[in-house]
């Protein structure tokens, strides 16, 4: 049956893109149920949304599985600065006795850098991978490789092994590129910002869920089944690995690349797949370059927080493993609504002030993120303790996620015919930001609060670069083109999103 003859279950435009974003249907009038439709052929739009969202969400659980368990793992594999003394203690006393200030902190910092490094490469290349295999197969390949690597990470016994495991598992972060691209080709411009922000935000929620789920899984094996500390954290790694296998099977059998089935580059207005010159062309556009680093300031910051928050609350506020994870979860939990809020605000501003509105929303979000990150970096037990730190963290998290949403409200307009490449490059900028910040601010500085303040300065710098973004046909923060000047370029952009 030809695509034109399919009666879709959602309203679509002339290009068969969904014009309405409704991820849930109400059962019995009060119970929201994820909406995937009856068949993949008649509702490929919402199936793509849920496939992309779930892949990215569960990817986070394996990607950052080590982060909330590092207080246990560092003891088991002998990273503590006072390891010789720690190993003489009973197992239930070792975690609290561990001192991690110098060599231990440096090794964990190296592992945290590794945890986002490979993702920079794979995100950068993911645009070409998507154009070659389509978003459905790209997600399945990433989840399959992730299942293998996360499962293998249970065999880590030393610092080099931890660094290697976290390096290779970071490729799971590239599910984000698929997430944003897939939604961009399925939804109309009137809702694409909201769809992208919601898919990305609910996907990012996995980073918060990891902070609680992995400690609870560890506690189940350790206290529920009576396994040793070492066996418990190792067994915990097989839980996300198993989830990846089942999810990949569902995506492969129950979703499709486009409304017509298999992905073809012609839907982007191209006649051939991307090559090295296309990447260079996109990178030479100064607005793409700025967006790469603006996204490094927001999503890169979120990745850093996923790595450091649980340990920060445990070591600096004296809370236990599960409580530290719960406090860290408050950061990721803002993804439930805040990234969507950024996308909604961007779409709303675009309807009234076009690109000028989107840029102002983006700038305000980054500015607020920098201000409250600095505030979070001023709190310790002497001036408010963890309750004040939590309040600062929640507000800071809202701005972080809004900035991520406003970023991908702008991305589809930048070079529309190279959407896959721009989306991949900006996504790679996010993980590049985590590498830069971890290495520059968190790896070697012994002061527990100074890294957050310095990181806030990094975010503020890139927030100010929003002032320099300008398109002749779209405008800037302080100027928008006349209707007759905007029309030719705008028509090209809208045809691709």
């Amino acid at each position: 049956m030809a695509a034109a003859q399919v009666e879709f279950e959602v309203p679509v435009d002339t290009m068969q893109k969904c014009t309405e974003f409704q991820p849930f249907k109400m059962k019995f009038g009060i119970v929201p149920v994820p909406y995937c439709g009856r068949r993949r052929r008649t509702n490929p739009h919402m199936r793509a949304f849920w496939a992309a969202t779930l892949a990215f969400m569960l990817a986070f659980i394996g990607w950052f599985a080590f982060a909330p368990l590092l207080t246990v793992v560092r003891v088991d594999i002998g990273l503590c600065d006072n390891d010789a003394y720690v190993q003489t203690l009973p197992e239930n006393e070792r975690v609290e006795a561990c001192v991690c200030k110098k060599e231990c902190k440096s090794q964990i910092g190296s592992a945290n850098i590794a945890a986002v490094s490979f993702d920079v490469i794979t995100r950068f290349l993911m645009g070409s991978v998507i154009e070659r295999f389509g978003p459905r197969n790209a997600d399945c390949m990433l989840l399959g490789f992730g299942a293998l690597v996360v499962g293998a990470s249970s065999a880590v016994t030393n610092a080099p092994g931890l660094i290697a495991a976290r390096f290779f598992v970071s490729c799971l972060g590239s599910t984000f590129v698929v997430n944003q691209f897939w939604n961009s080709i399925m939804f109309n411009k009137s809702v694409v910002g909201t769809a992208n922000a919601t898919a990305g935000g609910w996907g990012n929620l996995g980073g918060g869920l990891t902070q609680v789920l992995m400690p609870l899984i560890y506690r189940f094996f350790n206290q529920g089944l009576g396994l040793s500390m070492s066996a418990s954290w190792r067994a915990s790694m097989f839980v996300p690995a198993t989830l990846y296998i089942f999810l990949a099977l569902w995506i492969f059998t129950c979703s499709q690349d486009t409304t017509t089935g298999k992905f073809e580059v012609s839907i982007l207005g191209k006649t051939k797949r991307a090559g090295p010159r296309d990447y260079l062309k996109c990178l030479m556009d100064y607005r793409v370059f700025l967006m790469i680093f603006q996204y490094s300031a927001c999503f890169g910051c979120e990745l850093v927080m996923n790595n450091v928050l649980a340990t920060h609350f445990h070591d600096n506020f004296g809370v236990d493993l599960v409580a530290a994870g719960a406090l860290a979860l408050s950061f990721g939990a803002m993804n439930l609504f805040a990234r969507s809020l950024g996308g909604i605000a961007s779409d709303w501003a675009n309807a009234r002030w076009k690109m000028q509105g989107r840029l102002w929303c983006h700038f305000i979000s980054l500015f607020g993120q920098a201000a409250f990150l600095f505030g979070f970096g001023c709190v310790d037990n002497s001036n408010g303790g963890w309750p004040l730190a939590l309040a600062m963290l929640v507000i800071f998290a809202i701005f972080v996620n809004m900035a991520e949403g406003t970023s991908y409200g702008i991305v589809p307009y930048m070079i529309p015919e190279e959407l896959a490449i721009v989306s991949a490059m900006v996504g790679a900028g996010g993980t590049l930001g985590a590498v830069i910040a971890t290495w520059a601010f968190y790896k070697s500085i012994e002061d527990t609060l100074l890294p957050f303040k310095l990181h806030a300065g990094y975010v503020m710098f890139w927030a100010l670069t929003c002032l320099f973004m300008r398109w002749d046909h779209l405008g800037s923060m302080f100027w928008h083109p006349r209707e007759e000047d905007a029309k030719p370029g705008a028509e090209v952009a809208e045809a691709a999103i």
Side-chain angles (χ1 to χ4, degrees), residues 55-140:
F56 190 38
M57 179 187 292
L58 294 187
F60 262 104
I61 297 177
W63 185 9
F64 288 98
F66 274 109
L69 299 181
L70 277 176
T71 54
V72 171
V73 175
R74 69 190 182 187
V75 170
D76 183 50
I77 65 176
L79 299 187
C80 301
D81 294 329
N82 59 339
D83 181 60
Y85 166 70
V86 168
Q87 298 305 325
T88 66
L89 299 174
E91 189 174 89
N92 62 349
E93 297 179 14
R94 293 177 186 175
V95 172
E96 295 303 323
C98 176
V99 174
C100 190
K101 294 291 185 182
K102 298 180 180 178
E103 184 63 22
C104 171
K105 185 173 183 179
S106 177
Q107 289 174 325
I108 288 178
S110 296
N112 287 343
I113 292 173
V116 290
S117 296
F118 191 36
D119 186 40
V120 176
I121 301 170
T122 54
R123 283 192 185 212
F124 194 82
L125 298 175
M126 192 50 58
S128 294
V129 174
I130 292 172
E131 290 190 357
R132 174 66 178 84
F133 298 101
R136 182 188 63 164
N137 289 334
D139 256 349
C140 290

Side-chain angles (χ1 to χ4, degrees), residues 60 72 107 109 187 222 282 301 486:
F60 262 104
V72 171
Q107 289 174 325
F187 290 92
N222 184 243
C282 294
C301 183

Side-chain angles (χ1 to χ4, degrees), residues 432-480:
L432 177 62
V435 173
I436 294 170
T438 303
W439 179 81
F441 311 135
Y442 296 89
K443 184 176 186 288
S444 303
I445 298 175
E446 291 190 27
D447 188 296
T448 57
L449 296 179
L450 182 58
F452 297 104
K453 298 174 184 176
L454 294 174
H455 199 171
Y458 176 87
V459 175
M460 183 62 75
F461 174 84
W462 291 110
L464 294 174
T465 63
C466 293
L467 303 175
F468 302 103
M469 297 180 76
R470 183 184 186 278
W471 292 264
D472 290 339
H473 64 288
L474 296 173
S476 68
M477 284 179 65
F478 301 102
W479 169 82
H480 61 85

Side-chain angles (χ1 to χ4, degrees), residues 192-460:
V192 70
T194 302
N196 267 338
T198 304
W202 290 356
N204 283 355
L205 180 61
L209 293 175
T210 307
Q211 308 297 328
V212 169
L213 285 178
M214 293 307 294
L216 287 176
I217 294 169
Y218 166 81
R219 179 171 286 185
F220 167 76
F221 286 118
N222 184 243
Q223 298 181 10
L225 300 184
L227 299 183
S228 68
M229 178 177 68
S230 179
S232 296
W233 77 258
R234 296 175 193 278
S236 300
M237 295 297 166
F238 288 100
V239 175
T242 303
L243 291 174
Y244 294 157
I245 294 172
F246 285 104
L247 180 60
L249 288 172
W250 180 80
I251 292 174
F252 186 78
T253 58
C254 298
S255 67
Q256 61 186 43
D257 292 328
T258 69
T259 58
T260 58
K262 186 176 175 60
F263 175 79
E264 298 289 345
V265 295
S266 58
I267 71 171
L268 299 178
K270 300 167 60 173
T271 57
K272 61 180 181 178
R273 299 188 182 100
R277 288 186 178 181
D278 298 300
Y279 279 88
L280 184 60
K281 167 192 168 185
C282 294
L283 192 60
M284 291 298 290
D285 187 317
Y286 83 93
R287 294 152 301 201
V288 174
F289 181 84
L290 291 181
M291 181 57 76
I292 288 171
F293 282 95
Q294 288 164 13
Y295 198 65
S296 83
C298 52
F299 186 65
C301 183
E302 177 166 5
L303 295 182
V304 171
M305 295 303 112
N306 287 337
N307 267 325
V308 306
L309 281 178
T311 304
H312 177 73
F313 279 113
H314 177 275
D315 291 351
N316 295 286
F317 296 102
V319 299
D320 66 24
L321 182 68
V322 174
L327 290 170
L329 168 65
S330 64
F331 179 86
M334 296 305 104
N335 280 294
L336 273 172
F337 70 92
R339 184 160 181 157
S340 296
L341 181 61
I344 292 168
S346 184
D347 286 344
W348 173 83
N350 179 67
R352 286 156 178 76
W353 302 291
K354 305 301 181 183
M355 182 56 70
Q356 189 176 37
R358 289 194 187 273
L359 288 170
W360 271 103
C361 285
H362 189 49
F363 170 73
I364 292 169
S365 299
L366 286 170
F367 187 91
Q369 174 193 339
F372 283 94
L373 173 56
F374 187 87
F376 178 74
C378 294
V379 181
D380 58 20
N381 273 327
S382 68
N383 61 4
W386 70 258
L388 180 57
L390 177 62
M392 285 288 184
L393 182 66
V394 167
I395 301 172
F396 154 52
I398 290 172
F399 279 111
V400 171
N401 288 300
M402 285 184 64
E404 293 167 3
T406 58
S407 296
Y408 274 83
I410 296 171
V411 163
Y413 290 84
M414 303 190 83
I415 308 178
E417 67 276 13
E418 300 294 352
L419 176 59
I421 303 302
V422 175
S423 183
M425 293 176 74
V426 173
T431 44
L432 177 62
V435 173
I436 294 170
T438 303
W439 179 81
F441 311 135
Y442 296 89
K443 184 176 186 288
S444 303
I445 298 175
E446 291 190 27
D447 188 296
T448 57
L449 296 179
L450 182 58
F452 297 104
K453 298 174 184 176
L454 294 174
H455 199 171
Y458 176 87
V459 175
M460 183 62 75

Side-chain angles (χ1 to χ4, degrees), residues 117-191:
S117 296
F118 191 36
D119 186 40
V120 176
I121 301 170
T122 54
R123 283 192 185 212
F124 194 82
L125 298 175
M126 192 50 58
S128 294
V129 174
I130 292 172
E131 290 190 357
R132 174 66 178 84
F133 298 101
R136 182 188 63 164
N137 289 334
D139 256 349
C140 290
M141 288 188 292
L142 287 169
L143 290 170
F145 183 74
L148 178 65
V149 178
V150 174
S153 68
S154 63
V156 167
T157 59
N158 51 35
L162 177 65
I163 292 170
R166 299 208 71 189
F167 174 80
F168 285 109
V169 82
S170 71
C171 74
L172 283 166
S174 295
T175 52
F176 170 76
V177 179
V178 183
N179 177 295
Q180 298 294 282
F181 176 82
W182 209 349
N183 283 289
S184 292
I185 63 173
M186 285 292 193
F187 290 92
N188 177 269
K189 68 183 183 68
S190 63
V191 294

